[in-house]
Amino acid sequence: MQRLVILSGAGISAESGLKTFRDSDGLWEGYEVTEVATPGAFRRNPQLVLDFYNMRRRNVLDAVPNAAHTGLAALEKDFEVIIITQNIDDLHERGGSTHVLHLHGEITKTRSISNPDVTFSYDRDLAVGDLAPDGTQLRPFIVWFEEEVPKLAEAAAIMRTADIMAVIGTSLLVYPAAGLVHYARPGIQKYIIDKRIPAIEKSKDWNLIEKPATEGVIELQKLLRR
């Protein structure tokens, strides 16, 4: 069975009602990134940061997977599908995908400020004073700006094994995640699905599907199964 590796971004969840990382006003849910998505922001105003992610978690829990999520899960019948996602939501999993690697963390989990490797599920809003078992403050299990991406090496290793690669709903502007496409072996089938195809090197090597993710995944299914 061929291995199909997907790199997904915010565009695939936008059709489920989740805002993309930066909207046209340059803000994220009305906040500057430096206010809510850096270690320094958490040190300066931890409750503001926690409130921001509490809101985002509620938004994710209210959202439902769309046809792009379920369409990728359906491809597991014919391919070994591995999804590498930049998204912090769990819509791929709820859509039925069984092998998902989250580069930037998961909004439905928490971690202590002292140990990024131990995570906890949570079903309520976080507040200052909520402590992990090690006695330190709980924070969202999110990779913030200025922090290393701990699963990047694992993702690069997976990308090297792809027989087919598809990039869905990402601008390919956020590094280091965007650089993962360069780990794919030369000569494999490569697809990119987005409403606005990003500028990519050697575009002749790519099959371009300039459509929203929900429509583009349907086309991808047809192309892969013909």
Side-chain angles (χ1 to χ4, degrees):
M1 186 176 285
Q2 289 184 300
R3 174 171 284 191
L4 168 60
V5 178
I6 308 290
L7 177 63
S8 73
I12 198 168
S13 295
E15 292 180 83
S16 290
L18 298 180
K19 290 188 177 182
T20 54
F21 169 61
R22 281 179 182 267
D23 294 311
S24 58
D25 58 5
L27 302 177
W28 191 14
E29 299 281 6
Y31 293 90
E32 292 284 353
V33 167
T34 53
E35 292 180 87
V36 292
T38 66
F42 190 62
R43 289 191 296 270
R44 289 190 301 272
N45 194 338
Q47 192 60 60
L48 174 67
V49 174
L50 294 177
D51 287 343
F52 174 78
Y53 284 98
N54 289 334
M55 174 183 67
R56 297 211 68 210
R57 182 181 60 83
R58 291 194 294 268
N59 291 343
V60 166
L61 294 178
D62 288 340
V64 296
N66 61 52
H69 298 107
T70 57
L72 293 179
L75 284 169
E76 292 189 8
K77 297 175 184 176
D78 302 300
F79 301 90
E80 181 191 0
V81 181
I82 301 178
I83 297 174
I84 301 168
T85 186
Q86 299 172 72
N87 300 336
I88 59 175
D89 61 66
D90 61 351
L91 295 181
H92 280 300
E93 290 90 341
R94 283 196 272 146
S97 290
T98 59
H99 194 160
V100 183
L101 184 152
H102 288 266
L103 284 173
H104 297 149
E106 300 175 64
I107 192 64
T108 56
K109 296 180 180 179
T110 63
R111 48 156 284 207
S112 77
I113 60 173
S114 63
N115 189 344
D117 299 320
V118 179
T119 63
F120 311 92
S121 297
Y122 74 115
D123 56 5
R124 60 185 176 81
D125 287 352
L126 274 180
V128 173
D130 289 339
L131 304 181
D134 64 9
T136 61
Q137 173 68 41
L138 284 170
R139 53 163 275 188
F141 179 53
I142 301 297
V143 178
W144 287 326
F145 287 90
E146 302 172 9
E147 293 183 324
E148 293 184 0
V149 180
K151 293 192 176 181
L152 189 65
E154 182 181 352
I158 291 170
M159 195 63 79
R160 291 189 187 100
T161 68
D163 299 305
I164 306 167
M165 178 178 67
V167 176
I168 305 175
T170 175
S171 64
L172 292 179
L173 293 176
V174 178
Y175 281 82
L180 287 170
V181 297
H182 302 300
Y183 288 92
R185 290 173 294 141
I188 69 169
Q189 296 179 60
K190 293 189 285 187
Y191 299 85
I192 187 161
I193 299 170
D194 202 87
K195 290 190 298 184
R196 292 180 295 277
I197 299 296
I200 51 177
E201 296 178 9
K202 301 179 181 178
S203 59
K204 68 179 184 301
D205 295 336
W206 293 80
N207 298 284
L208 308 180
I209 303 175
E210 195 161 8
K211 294 181 178 181
T214 49
E215 297 174 25
V217 168
I218 292 172
E219 185 167 335
L220 177 68
Q221 288 176 319
K222 294 176 181 177
L223 291 170
L224 292 177
R225 287 170 170 162
R226 68 184 180 184

